[in-house]
Structure formats: C-alpha cells, structure tokens
Amino acid sequence: GDVVRALKQSKKDGADVSKADVDAAVAKLKELKATAEALADPEAAAKAAAKAAAADAAKAKPKAGAEVGVTPKSEDFSRWYLDVIRECELADYGPARGTMVIRPYGYALWEGIQRWMDAKFKTTGVENAYFPQLIPYSFITKEASHVEGFSPELAVVTQGGGKTLEEPLVVRPTSETIVNHMFSQWIQSYRDLPLLMNQWANVHRWEMRTRPFIRTLEFLWQEGHTAHATAEEAEERAVQMIDVYREFAEDVAAMPVIVGRKSRVETFAGANNTYTIEAMMGDKRALQAGTSHNLGQNFAKAFDTTFLDENGKTQHVHQSSWGVSTRLIGGIIMTHGDDVGLRRVLYTGPHTTAFAW
C-alpha cells in the first residue's frame, strides 16, 4: 500500500512515473490482499473467487447475437428471422427463384408436426391417400370462384416429352378438384359416407414475394378432404379440424393463436366458410397458421359428386377441406426465437421427430 501511494504522489509531483507503473503496483497489492484473506478465511476467499469467475463468464457471453451472426430482433425483425434460419441450418434458398431447400434440422421439425398431426387425424377416422400432382386444367375451371381465386398463382405445364400437350396440366395448387373427380367415382350411396381422407404432399403457388417457410413457390403440407351426407356433418368436421390445429399450436408448439372465421373476401375460393387459427408474431403481424373450410356442395355440384340417400333420392354430398403447411415452422421460429437464435429446442437432432420443451 505504501508503494502504491508513493508512486501516485511521485506521478502527481511530475516524477518519471507512468500509469503502467501505478497499475502494476495496484495489481500486486490486490494479489497480496487476496493471499492474506485466503490465509485468514479460506471459505470466504473461495466464494469471492467463484463470484469473480461468474462475472468474467457473463462478460464473455455474446451480445444480441453478435458472435453468432444474428441481427437483433428489435433492430430488424425480417433480417433477424432470415439470420436464425441460416445460423440454425433450418433451410436454404433453392436455385429457382422463390424455392427453398429444407435442411435436416428444419425437416426434423416438419417430421415432428407430421407425427403428431397424423396420429390425431387417425383418431377421428381419417385415412391417408395420395392424389396426382398434375391436374387437368379443365378441372380447375369447373368451379367458377375456384379458378378465379387461383388463376394468378397457377403453374401450368404445356409441354411433355418434347410435344405440346393436348390439354395443359396444372401443377397442384390444392386438390379439391381432383379429389372430387375421384370421389364422384367412389361414392354411390349413403353407405359410402362419410368419406374421410388426408394426403401429405407438396403444392405450388406462384407467389411474387417469398420468404422461407412463410411463403414459397413450393411448400409441404397436409390437406384433408371429406364428404358427408348432410350440411351439419360437413360443418361439424370443419370446426373439429380447426380445433385440432388450435390444440397443436397451443399445447404442442406453445404458440398462442386466435380461432376465428374469415371474412367473405378472405374465404377460400369455392368455400362457404373458412375457419382459421391466427398467431401474433414479434413484428406485430398476424400469421395464418392453419385453415379449415366448409365447402358446402359447391365442388360436388361442379363434379356431380352425388349419392343415393336412404329414401333412394340422388343428393349432392357436403364437403370440408382443411390444411396446415411448413408455414407452422416459420411461426414456431418467430414465436420462440431470440437475439441469439432459437431459444427453445423442438428436436434434439436431424433424426429426432419428437418435440422436447
């Protein structure tokens, strides 16, 4: 202590004493004090050393993603979202504009969603099937509001095998048309109803502005399609399935949602009613995370999907359709990510499909 005081006084008096000399003496003084305290009270010294180590560790932590390449969420939400996807290796951009490559960690999330949803669907009597990706263009035009709603988003194949096709083929934007074409052949009487089917597939919609998982030209989803004898059954199924989506979002993904019915303008093209789950994201925008539609008899009339009722009269079936997509992954990221990345882990590796919270 006397040495430190003498050096400080000499420096003040103008002597040739540098700041480094004073700092070195102070450091030596602290070291001697620590040694004396350790000899006098070893337990207290150990606690002090642990506290100092913890403080040093806290200073070493990355700030707002600075050391992991993540833009702070409060600074630029859109940039943050893309940074998280990149740094967590969830997806990458495909070579064609608007497409994405889902990497193993991202696909593990989708597998977890699939596993839970598929099991839940089957408890309600739904069976899995698969319908062709290429749909005759004439099918799309059969339901007037449907073609009007989807025309701007269609990808159309006009050539195959080096020749112009007799009829253009639409790359599946959704499957109500081709499903009804098949239902009209499979359904004969009320004994064939209800018919409850789901498919896991990819769809294409020609979006102008794209964002990984949220909106891309091609994405993965499930789409359920059902046929019923009565309007009440179709409505009941549409409401039942939107509640399944709500259950997953809130109880499995821990993503709060609001369940509601879309306005007439926002209703699915060709449906009577559209029900939705909407989640509020960190940028204060709502994300449509799943939809369920009461199609009424609109597609049934367009494709003549009929059945003989118990009285022997021919009736058009009543239908529902419902779906969720890889957009759910985007919602989970925006709900549970922070400035360092994904705060909550939904998987333990590329080969794990269970959710762990």
Side-chain angles (χ1 to χ4, degrees), residues 112 118 163 256 259 261 264 277 280 299-300 303 306 320 334:
D118 200 61
K163 298 180 181 179
V259 181
R261 186 173 67 184
R264 177 50 51 195
I277 55 170
M280 185 62 70
F299 287 92
F303 285 84
T306 61
S320 79
M334 289 190 280

Side-chain angles (χ1 to χ4, degrees), residues 262-306:
K262 289 284 193 180
S263 67
R264 177 50 51 195
V265 174
E266 295 180 307
T267 295
F268 177 76
N272 288 350
N273 293 315
T274 290
Y275 300 97
T276 181
I277 55 170
E278 306 275 335
M280 185 62 70
M281 298 294 100
D283 57 356
K284 300 181 181 179
R285 294 181 180 180
L287 179 74
Q288 177 182 287
T291 53
S292 182
H293 318 290
N294 179 345
L295 303 177
Q297 295 179 312
N298 299 323
F299 287 92
K301 289 179 179 178
F303 285 84
D304 199 27
T305 311
T306 61

Side-chain angles (χ1 to χ4, degrees), residues 125-129 131 179 183 186 195-199 223-227 322:
V126 174
E127 296 179 300
N128 283 331
F131 296 85
V179 166
F183 277 14
W186 298 340
L195 187 56
L196 313 174
M197 290 194 174
N198 173 70
Q199 76 165 340
E223 51 177 320
H225 298 273
T226 69
W322 25 274

Side-chain angles (χ1 to χ4, degrees), residues 126-165:
V126 174
E127 296 179 300
N128 283 331
Y130 185 80
F131 296 85
Q133 183 179 21
L134 297 177
I135 303 170
Y137 190 85
S138 59
F139 284 17
I140 303 294
T141 62
K142 281 190 176 185
E143 211 290 324
S145 61
H146 192 65
V147 69
E148 182 181 351
F150 273 101
S151 281
E153 300 178 352
L154 296 181
V156 182
V157 178
T158 59
Q159 290 189 346
K163 298 180 181 179
T164 300
L165 301 179

Side-chain angles (χ1 to χ4, degrees), residues 42 44 51 183 222 243 330:
K51 186 177 180 181
F183 277 14
Q222 60 74 211
D243 191 60

